[in-house]
Amino acid sequence: MMRTGLVAGAVVAIAFASGVAARSIPNTGTPQSMQQLLGCRSIADSAQRLACYDQQAAAVSNAIASKQLVLIDKARATAAKRSLFGFSVPDFGGLFGGGDELNEIASTVTKVGQDPYGAWVVTLADGSTWYQQDDSPLGLPPERGNKVVVHRGTFGAFFMRVSGQPGIRVKRIG
């Protein structure tokens, strides 16, 4: 039950001095304070286990209150990944959870324009703005309300399909 709240993980590892902290805790990517809390499970005596849980839960609570430890749920992590889709952003050590790479987004066109050279500039309903990087023509120009899918290509490229047409190479600019 507690694990589901911690699925997305914690941002900053912190150390706390305690009886449990004296033991060697391997670095698993989980903050040491959480490892110490989970380590309480291995104590056989129920009174000592409860005391351990109380002590470590207080330490985690203080760390969250002082913003030394930040927890996010999977839904917020996914929303953050989606809002950053298309930008060159480092993984931040799994800040937004690992394993489920976001490879495409689907949205609707809210604004369309062209630069002086004829490249499309398309703003989507999620607020992201995409700039055409190639000179591939679109059979039908994008219009407000068109369905759009932007997907990750190879070597960091992104491609936008407007209303099911062949994709054009795009770069996120906003």
Side-chain angles (χ1 to χ4, degrees):
M1 182 162 42
M2 173 169 250
R3 186 176 178 124
T4 58
L6 303 174
V7 168
V11 177
V12 181
I14 56 176
F16 290 97
S18 70
V20 176
R23 289 184 264 178
S24 175
I25 298 176
N27 183 5
T28 62
T30 302
Q32 187 175 8
S33 59
M34 293 307 304
Q35 290 181 32
Q36 291 170 346
L37 178 66
L38 297 173
C40 293
R41 295 181 297 187
S42 65
I43 298 174
D45 181 63
S46 60
Q48 289 178 350
R49 186 172 54 251
L50 179 59
C52 178
Y53 273 127
D54 287 345
Q55 179 182 7
Q56 296 308 318
V60 168
S61 179
N62 291 337
I64 291 170
S66 66
K67 306 236 187 288
Q68 292 176 326
L69 182 67
V70 179
L71 302 174
I72 59 173
D73 60 20
K74 187 156 181 95
R76 285 190 62 192
T78 301
K81 281 182 184 181
R82 182 174 169 77
S83 72
L84 295 172
F85 183 79
F87 285 126
S88 295
V89 179
D91 183 33
F92 294 114
L95 172 65
F96 301 122
D100 53 345
E101 181 77 21
L102 185 61
N103 289 314
E104 74 176 29
I105 59 168
S107 191
T108 306
V109 175
T110 58
K111 185 177 173 185
V112 179
Q114 282 185 291
D115 74 0
Y117 303 102
W120 293 105
V121 180
V122 180
T123 302
L124 305 181
D126 64 6
S128 62
T129 302
W130 298 83
Y131 177 79
Q132 182 180 4
Q133 289 194 296
D134 62 11
D135 57 0
S136 298
L138 285 171
L140 297 171
E143 294 178 350
R144 190 179 161 120
N146 284 146
K147 300 294 182 193
V148 171
V149 175
V150 179
H151 66 94
R152 186 183 310 271
T154 56
F155 301 113
F158 291 88
F159 295 89
M160 176 185 289
R161 291 188 317 269
V162 180
S163 298
Q165 298 181 69
I168 57 173
R169 185 178 170 149
V170 293
K171 176 181 181 179
R172 182 158 179 193
I173 59 171

